[in-house]
Amino acid sequence: MGVDDVPMDDKAKRMRDLLSSFYSPDPSSPSKTPNASSRFATLDTINTTTFDVDQYMNLLVQKSNLEGLLQRHVDMAAEIKNLDTDLQMLVYENYNKFVSATDAIKRMKNNIVGMETSMEQLLEKIMSVQSRSDGVNTSLFEKREHIEKLHRTRNLLRKVQFIYDLPATLAKCIKSEAYADAVKYYIGAMPIFKIYGDSSFLDCKRASEEAIAIIIKALQGKVFSDSESIQARAEAVMLLKQLDFPVNNLKEQLFEKLEQFLVDLHLEYKEIRYASSGLGGIPVSASSSSHEASIREFAEAVRAYRVIFPDSEQQLFRLAKELATKHFEATKQHIKKQVSSTDLVAMLRVIWTDVLLMDEVLPEAGLRDFTFEAAHDAIKQYVACTFSHLLLDISDALVKVHDNQKGVIEEEYPLQSALETSKKALVQGSMGALLDSRRLLDENLEVLSSLTDLIIEWVQEGFQDFFRKLNDHFFMLSGKKYSANQDLTFGEGMQGDKVLPELVLLLAQLSVFIEKNAITRVTEEISSFSGGGTRGYENSSAFIPAEICRIFRSAGEELLQHYISLKTQKILIVLKKRFTTPNWVKHKEPREVHMFVDLLLQELDTILNEVKQILPEGLQPKHRRTDSNGSTTSSRSNPLRDDRLVRSNTQKARSQLLESHLAKLFKQKMEIFTKVEHTQESVITTIIKLFLKSLQEFVRLQTFNRSGFQQIQLDIHFLKTTLKDTAEDEAAVDFLLDEVIVAAAERCLDPIPLEPAILDRLTQAKLAKNSDQSSTSL
């Protein structure tokens, strides 16, 4: 017995070794080579057949001390006793087994005695039965042959009778329209007609063929009948194929029927789509059930067509994809017309139901993947169209400014109304876009569940792109930016019109609102909206609020500056006309304030009315003249100016001008132009400063006589009276007005001013005249 690899206890190992040594045919043949044993000698080799006494003792002496050797001696003596006992028990057990085997052999020998006699008797009986069976078969052979012949004759007679009755049977089938049974009977008779159709059964064959011709025409009529169901037509095609009728033409025509059925189904689908939106007046449950029944009928027709024409799978795949394509084409058309998310989900649900029905019939067509790709494009288009319509809504709100300017809409506060409408359109439109997108995510629809992360990303990208386009649209409306690729739907009807300054002011304030309010609210909503995405809002770079805020902060400042520039340019036209038309060297003595001052004040009133509708009031108090830096010591202070103006000598007046120039070199410089804030006072003051500075430059380009200089003095004195409560920085305005008087004096040939009493009298007369005109107009 070889060494076993199964682990066992010591007693089992000893029993195995004992049995191996007792039953071993060649005890001298070791299982391992001596070299291998000597190489790997251990104290456990005492139980192997290659045990070496000398080697074992040497190893034991080397590894054990005296106490160990004595203990080993005691253990070995005990093991020897145990082995002797085990060996004795083993011998007893084997002896009992040998005795039992001997008894069994004896019993078998006794039982076999007499069996040969029984076998011989059995063989004789079998031979007797066989001989009697052969005798019975011989006596019945002729009768059996006769019976089989009669049976064959009977079957032949039945067939003949069937052939003779076939024309009448086919006629009955035609009358009852049991065309399937008729074809089955005729096909069963075909083998006989092929052999005997030209001789014995010629008449039956001709009558049957005439009946079959009628059946073929009836089946063809079924195939092309619109009143028949698709399944009935498919069954007719199957029967024609069994009759070996060429069905290729029928195949093409039946496929055309399927295509036409798809076209009709598509028209019905559009009605259902409108019904789901509550626009068609059709009960939604009834229309959807009708549509589902039509799709099921179409699917069953496709299934039958595939069974009838197995080689037409590719055509059917194309037809199934065309169904999904037409569905999504209709969906995209509705998306372009601005459809709600509820209606969009209803459309997708109808599409997905139809796709599942078709997928059961054509699982190899890959309709699911095709639908996922088409839904990907449709949802992306829906998100993009949502923001496009939002841009249109804001643009429509801004159109009111143009309509009011043209007199189409008359409102008391048109700019304020347009601003509030634009804010409402922006905020509600943004919240509506997020709400629609959230509805898409909340729907338990497989085709939408696979696009969850993409929808979140598209919404974020949509807002980023929307605000960028909105910024570009603002600049396009303001006339500061023109794009050849600008969408013509934005601001439609405004092209060719002049840029309205009030529209620019509205856009500037709307930019401020977007930066400070709208972006914050949209960011909060997007943050909660994006919580379900795998990427999350914080890790997403699609929507960057800081960048949008920076864009609109810059846009607000630039548009406000553009508004001021437009208003200033309009005032400059009045100033240019005023100073280039008359001959200032031959100017007549002034009798009243010139009318151009009225035009300037009217324009300022218009500006003030516009900014009051849109811009908030400033928080800082007005900058009075006594608060202005260096105003009390300025060379244009009232005592010095009055002293200079009352001089009657021309030479002294010119000397005084020289002194004023020298004084300017030693006075602290006044800050005239500061940063423009989005407040009423800041905008008005900036425009006044600009047009006064421009007025000074126009004065410096002219040469005045005494009367011309006095006219300028009178106009400026009137402006000082009327502008003192309008400008925020009164000190700077007074400074600029004084600069205009000084510039006029420098360009005057005889700079002798009017007396203060005359100035006051003419100014009061002008104020009284304006007051009378105002009361008359009211």
Side-chain angles (χ1 to χ4, degrees):
M1 296 178 64
V3 179
D4 199 352
D5 293 335
V6 179
M8 57 186 69
D9 54 10
D10 294 338
K11 185 175 181 180
K13 289 181 179 180
R14 289 198 305 270
M15 293 299 293
R16 185 195 63 183
D17 294 339
L18 288 173
L19 291 173
S20 176
S21 62
F22 185 82
Y23 290 104
S24 177
D26 189 8
S28 63
S29 61
S31 61
K32 297 183 180 179
T33 61
N35 294 333
S37 176
S38 61
R39 177 183 297 180
F40 305 103
T42 62
L43 294 176
D44 295 333
T45 56
I46 192 172
N47 294 324
T48 63
T49 57
T50 59
F51 176 66
D52 188 349
V53 177
D54 296 334
Q55 184 178 8
Y56 179 80
M57 288 301 300
N58 292 334
L59 184 62
L60 185 63
V61 171
Q62 291 176 1
K63 291 186 177 182
S64 304
N65 53 17
L66 181 59
E67 293 180 358
L69 292 175
L70 292 175
Q71 183 63 37
R72 183 61 178 163
H73 170 72
V74 174
D75 294 340
M76 188 174 294
E79 290 179 1
I80 292 172
K81 290 181 180 179
N82 291 333
L83 289 175
D84 291 340
T85 302
D86 293 339
L87 183 60
Q88 184 177 7
M89 293 298 296
L90 182 63
V91 171
Y92 289 158
E93 290 177 0
N94 288 338
Y95 178 76
N96 290 332
K97 292 178 181 179
F98 284 134
V99 171
S100 299
T102 303
D103 295 339
I105 292 171
K106 288 181 179 180
R107 287 194 299 272
M108 290 176 61
K109 185 176 181 181
N110 293 330
N111 292 334
I112 292 174
V113 175
M115 184 177 292
E116 291 182 1
T117 305
S118 299
M119 294 298 294
E120 290 177 357
Q121 294 176 357
L122 178 61
L123 181 59
E124 291 177 358
K125 292 179 180 180
I126 291 173
M127 294 299 295
S128 174
V129 171
Q130 182 179 2
S131 61
R132 291 180 181 180
S133 176
D134 292 339
V136 171
N137 290 335
T138 302
S139 61
L140 297 177
F141 177 74
E142 294 181 358
K143 294 181 179 180
R144 184 167 53 251
E145 286 291 332
H146 181 66
I147 292 172
E148 290 180 357
K149 184 176 181 181
L150 291 176
H151 181 70
R152 288 195 295 269
T153 303
R154 181 189 176 196
N155 290 337
L156 182 59
L157 291 174
R158 284 181 176 178
K159 292 179 180 181
V160 171
Q161 185 65 36
F162 174 77
I163 296 299
Y164 279 113
D165 294 340
L166 182 59
T169 303
L170 295 178
K172 292 180 181 180
C173 292
I174 292 173
K175 186 176 181 180
S176 61
E177 296 185 356
Y179 301 122
D181 295 336
V183 171
K184 181 179 67 175
Y185 297 150
Y186 181 74
I187 291 175
M190 284 297 295
I192 297 177
F193 284 149
K194 288 181 179 179
I195 300 175
Y196 305 104
D198 296 333
S199 56
S200 303
F201 303 105
L202 181 60
D203 295 336
C204 293
K205 180 180 179 182
R206 289 176 179 176
S208 300
E209 288 177 349
E210 291 176 358
I212 289 298
I214 296 174
I215 292 174
I216 290 176
K217 289 182 180 179
L219 292 175
Q220 286 180 326
K222 271 196 169 187
V223 171
F224 299 115
S225 175
D226 293 333
S227 61
E228 295 289 340
S229 64
I230 296 292
Q231 293 228 7
R233 294 199 294 266
E235 183 181 357
V237 173
M238 181 68 73
L239 295 176
L240 290 173
K241 287 181 67 176
Q242 294 177 5
L243 294 174
D244 294 332
F245 184 82
V247 295
N248 290 331
N249 293 334
L250 295 178
K251 176 182 177 181
E252 296 178 359
Q253 295 173 2
L254 185 59
F255 190 78
E256 291 177 358
K257 290 283 185 181
L258 291 175
E259 291 180 330
Q260 185 62 38
F261 183 85
L262 181 60
V263 172
D264 297 338
L265 180 66
H266 180 60
L267 295 174
E268 181 183 357
Y269 170 69
K270 290 197 294 185
E271 293 175 359
I272 290 175
R273 186 69 46 77
Y274 283 110
S276 67
S277 301
L279 302 176
I282 304 174
V284 177
S285 59
S287 59
S288 59
S289 300
S290 175
H291 175 76
E292 184 176 356
S294 300
I295 288 294
R296 289 188 180 278
E297 184 180 356
F298 177 73
E300 292 301 323
V302 171
R303 188 196 305 274
Y305 190 90
R306 184 181 185 183
V307 173
I308 298 169
F309 307 107
D311 57 341
S312 61
E313 289 185 348
Q314 296 301 324
Q315 289 179 313
L316 295 178
F317 293 166
R318 178 179 59 82
L319 196 65
K321 290 181 178 180
E322 185 178 352
L323 170 64
T325 301
K326 289 185 177 181
H327 273 309
F328 280 104
E329 286 177 355
T331 302
K332 291 180 178 180
Q333 292 298 324
H334 287 288
I335 289 175
K336 290 180 180 179
K337 299 176 183 178
Q338 192 173 9
V339 65
S340 65
S341 60
T342 303
D343 293 336
L344 178 63
V345 171
M347 297 175 191
L348 293 177
R349 197 177 298 279
V350 172
I351 295 174
W352 187 244
T353 302
D354 294 351
V355 168
L356 292 180
L357 289 175
M358 294 303 300
D359 188 65
E360 293 178 359
V361 179
L362 300 172
E364 301 88 354
L367 280 181
R368 286 173 173 261
D369 296 337
F370 182 81
T371 304
F372 284 139
E373 294 177 1
H376 175 281
D377 297 337
I379 299 298
K380 189 173 184 179
Q381 179 189 359
Y382 171 75
V383 174
C385 287
T386 298
F387 290 104
S388 297
H389 290 297
L390 180 56
L391 273 175
L392 284 175
D393 294 339
I394 298 174
S395 179
D396 292 340
L398 298 175
V399 168
K400 291 185 177 180
V401 180
H402 278 260
D403 294 340
N404 182 77
Q405 183 71 12
K406 297 176 182 179
V408 178
I409 300 176
E410 294 184 0
E411 293 182 0
E412 184 177 0
Y413 301 106
L415 293 181
Q416 182 179 359
S417 176
L419 178 62
E420 294 301 324
T421 303
S422 301
K423 289 180 180 179
K424 184 177 180 181
L426 176 62
V427 174
Q428 292 185 355
S430 300
M431 297 302 104
L434 286 171
L435 181 61
D436 286 344
S437 302
R438 190 181 296 275
R439 286 172 183 165
L440 293 179
L441 298 178
D442 293 340
E443 287 294 333
N444 186 19
L445 192 61
E446 183 178 354
V447 70
L448 289 176
S449 300
S450 62
L451 300 174
T452 299
D453 294 338
L454 288 176
I455 292 175
I456 294 175
E457 183 177 353
W458 290 336
V459 171
Q460 295 178 5
E461 291 177 352
F463 270 109
Q464 187 80 4
D465 187 59
F466 161 71
F467 282 115
R468 287 175 178 171
K469 287 183 178 180
L470 186 61
N471 178 69
D472 294 340
H473 188 51
F474 283 0
F475 281 103
M476 186 270 295
L477 292 177
S478 67
K480 292 183 65 64
K481 181 178 181 181
Y482 299 95
S483 175
N485 297 325
Q486 185 72 29
D487 193 346
L488 296 179
T489 59
F490 297 154
E492 188 176 7
M494 298 182 187
Q495 298 180 3
D497 296 340
K498 295 177 64 176
V499 176
L500 296 178
E502 53 267 34
L503 176 60
V504 177
L505 179 62
L506 187 149
L507 295 175
Q509 189 61 19
L510 189 57
S511 298
V512 174
F513 171 78
I514 292 173
E515 176 209 348
K516 295 183 178 180
N517 300 96
I519 296 298
T520 303
R521 185 169 179 183
V522 169
T523 302
E524 293 174 354
E525 293 295 330
I526 290 182
S527 179
S528 61
F529 168 78
S530 306
T534 58
R535 187 169 60 175
Y537 172 72
E538 295 180 355
N539 298 326
S540 172
S541 59
F543 179 67
I544 308 174
E547 178 183 349
I548 301 300
C549 289
R550 178 183 57 79
I551 290 174
F552 279 95
R553 185 185 307 114
S554 175
E557 295 174 356
E558 189 172 350
L559 290 171
L560 187 61
Q561 289 289 350
H562 186 47
Y563 170 75
I564 295 173
S565 175
L566 291 174
K567 286 298 183 180
T568 306
Q569 289 175 8
K570 190 173 182 180
I571 294 175
L572 288 180
I573 295 174
V574 178
L575 293 177
K576 183 177 180 181
K577 186 176 181 180
R578 166 65 179 136
F579 284 93
T580 57
T581 301
N583 187 353
W584 291 97
V585 179
K586 299 180 181 181
H587 200 279
K588 295 180 181 181
E589 183 179 354
R591 296 184 180 275
E592 63 176 356
V593 179
H594 196 271
M595 62 176 299
F596 100 94
V597 177
D598 294 333
L599 296 177
L600 290 177
L601 294 178
Q602 289 177 6
E603 186 61 31
L604 287 177
D605 289 340
T606 302
I607 297 172
L608 185 60
N609 181 41
E610 292 174 357
V611 297
K612 283 184 176 180
Q613 294 184 52
I614 294 181
L615 298 179
E617 295 183 355
L619 300 178
Q620 297 180 354
K622 288 188 176 182
H623 190 189
R624 299 296 180 183
R625 183 175 181 85
T626 56
D627 299 334
S628 179
N629 188 15
S631 61
T632 59
T633 59
S634 174
S635 62
R636 276 78 176 172
S637 60
N638 286 333
L640 179 61
R641 184 182 71 248
D642 294 340
D643 182 64
R644 178 169 52 83
L645 292 178
V646 298
R647 295 178 184 273
S648 59
N649 190 287
T650 304
Q651 187 65 31
K652 290 182 179 181
R654 291 178 177 175
S655 299
Q656 186 64 36
L657 290 176
L658 178 60
E659 293 176 5
S660 66
H661 279 292
L662 292 175
K664 284 199 301 182
L665 298 176
F666 299 99
K667 302 302 178 183
Q668 187 174 358
K669 184 178 180 182
M670 177 179 291
E671 187 178 5
I672 303 298
F673 296 102
T674 57
K675 182 179 179 182
V676 184
E677 302 293 337
H678 286 266
T679 60
Q680 301 174 13
E681 295 81 4
S682 178
V683 173
I684 290 294
T685 302
T686 303
I687 294 176
I688 292 175
K689 290 178 180 179
L690 286 173
F691 95 74
L692 289 178
K693 192 66 176 176
S694 302
L695 178 60
Q696 179 185 356
E697 296 302 324
F698 276 110
V699 168
R700 287 177 177 175
L701 296 176
Q702 303 298 327
T703 302
F704 303 93
N705 62 358
R706 180 189 300 178
S707 299
F709 168 70
Q710 291 175 351
Q711 182 68 54
I712 295 298
Q713 182 190 6
L714 176 60
D715 295 341
I716 296 302
H717 185 74
F718 182 78
L719 285 175
K720 185 178 294 186
T721 303
T722 55
L723 294 180
K724 63 180 180 180
D725 295 329
T726 303
E728 180 183 21
D729 191 355
E730 184 180 344
V733 172
D734 286 345
F735 177 82
L736 290 173
L737 289 170
D738 291 343
E739 286 289 327
V740 175
I741 297 296
V742 172
E746 291 174 351
R747 298 294 300 171
C748 182
L749 299 175
D750 186 16
I752 298 177
L754 289 172
E755 294 181 2
I758 298 176
L759 288 175
D760 293 338
R761 178 171 55 82
L762 295 176
T763 300
Q764 292 300 324
K766 181 64 176 178
L767 291 174
K769 181 180 178 181
N770 291 343
S771 178
D772 293 339
Q773 290 178 353
S774 299
S775 60
T776 302
S777 61
L778 293 175

